[in-house]
């Protein structure tokens, strides 16, 4: 089975800190995605990548950046964490073509 | 841009009964995919069922089936013989069929509870 692993299940950071959320997939998928999940808002796309070093903004990229130096790893970066970035972050990957997504188990980030 | 609307935030069903979760979407495209995902407390998003827009036949997976009305842009999920393990958040999602835009667009989700 394809695995998408998010490095932390829970994370607590201070306002202003630089935060890295890591996501690794083990099946050579081309596409990787970062979503943010908030109650009453569903999942919203922050950034996605369809190849190494390629990135595209999603619907809510403000305050975030991403890095994809290797195919298996897609990092979400909060340059200066703020309390309104307290949320659940979900990573997903997908091969090229008409195949399904595989999601990680999420990182619940609290910014205090 | 595509949008997905789930207007009911919560629903409840008695064990062994049938429940229908509603979803509508808006798109100008003619070829796309629609999905229902389940998210239990473990947070792992699980694909429940998928429908391809060019197929007229409604998708079915065991106790789960959809009512896909393309003209009305409606995509509801029916769960038959509800079980306690069906309790979860359910998300409706849309994806364009064109490969360059493979992102999923989600609705806000609905919390389903199952009464024993």
């Amino acid at each position: 089975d394809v695995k998408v692993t998010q490095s932390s299940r829970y994370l607590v950071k201070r306002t202003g800190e630089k935060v890295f959320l890591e996501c690794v997939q083990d099946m050579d998928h081309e596409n990787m995605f970062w979503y943010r999940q908030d109650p009453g808002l569903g999942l919203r796309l922050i950034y996605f990548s369809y190849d190494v070093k390629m990135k595209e903004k999603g619907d809510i990229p403000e305050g975030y950046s991403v890095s994809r130096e290797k195919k298996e790893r897609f990092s979400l970066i909060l340059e200066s964490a703020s309390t309104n970035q307290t949320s659940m972050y979900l990573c997903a990957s997908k091969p090229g073509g008409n195949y399904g997504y595989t999601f990680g188990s999420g990182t619940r980030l609290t910014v205090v | 841009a595509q949008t997905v609307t789930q207007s009911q935030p919560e629903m409840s069903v008695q064990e062994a009964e049938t429940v229908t979760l509603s979803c509508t979407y808006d798109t100008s495209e003619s070829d796309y995919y629609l999905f229902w995902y389940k998210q239990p407390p473990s947070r792992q998003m699980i694909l429940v069922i998928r429908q391809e827009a060019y197929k007229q036949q409604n998708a079915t997976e065991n106790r789960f089936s959809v009512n896909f009305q393309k003209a009305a842009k409606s995509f509801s999920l029916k769960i038959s013989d509800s079980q306690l393990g069906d309790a979860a958040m359910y998300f409706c999602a849309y994806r364009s069929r064109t490969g360059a835009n493979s992102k999923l667009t989600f609705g806000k989700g609905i919390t389903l509870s199952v009464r024993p």
Side-chain angles (χ1 to χ4, degrees), chain B residues 2-77:
Chain B
Q2 296 81 22
T3 58
V4 177
T5 302
Q6 295 178 254
S7 55
Q8 305 154 303
E10 296 178 350
M11 286 196 75
S12 180
V13 63
Q14 190 74 36
E15 194 176 6
E17 297 293 311
T18 296
V19 64
T20 298
L21 310 183
S22 301
C23 173
T24 59
Y25 60 95
D26 191 24
T27 183
S28 58
E29 298 176 328
S30 60
D31 201 8
Y32 47 86
Y33 298 101
L34 295 165
F35 305 84
W36 278 98
Y37 280 89
K38 171 185 178 181
Q39 187 182 43
S42 67
R43 305 184 202 163
Q44 187 72 48
M45 295 283 277
I46 302 164
L47 178 64
V48 175
I49 200 164
R50 169 179 124 155
Q51 175 78 42
E52 295 170 73
Y54 68 88
K55 290 187 178 178
Q56 291 186 336
Q57 186 173 7
N58 289 324
T60 300
E61 289 287 342
N62 300 313
R63 298 183 295 108
F64 299 88
S65 61
V66 298
N67 183 5
F68 173 48
Q69 302 288 330
K70 192 172 183 180
K73 295 180 182 173
S74 170
F75 183 61
S76 60
L77 175 70

Side-chain angles (χ1 to χ4, degrees), chain A residues 17-35:
Chain A
E17 275 193 78
K18 189 169 185 175
V19 181
F20 292 86
L21 302 184
E22 304 289 347
C23 176
V24 177
Q25 50 97 358
D26 65 358
M27 281 298 289
D28 205 37
H29 285 178
E30 286 85 357
N31 303 285
M32 296 187 76
F33 306 83
W34 275 106
Y35 284 88

Side-chain angles (χ1 to χ4, degrees), chain A residues 9-10 31 33 35 37 40-43 45 48 59 88 90 94 97-99 101 103-108, chain B residues 33 35 37 39 41-45 47 50 89 91 95 97 99-109:
Chain A
R9 191 162 174 85
Y10 297 95
N31 303 285
F33 306 83
Y35 284 88
Q37 182 179 357
L41 296 177
L43 279 75
L45 182 64
F48 66 102
D59 301 316
M88 171 80 79
L90 286 166
K94 178 183 131 7
N98 296 319
Y99 295 94
Y101 282 56
F103 283 86
S105 295
T107 295
R108 189 175 295 280
Chain B
Y33 298 101
F35 305 84
Y37 280 89
Q39 187 182 43
S42 67
R43 305 184 202 163
Q44 187 72 48
M45 295 283 277
L47 178 64
R50 169 179 124 155
M89 279 207 75
F91 292 94
R95 177 166 80 81
R97 194 177 172 88
N101 189 20
S102 61
K103 63 178 184 177
L104 279 171
T105 300
F106 287 87
K108 294 181 179 182

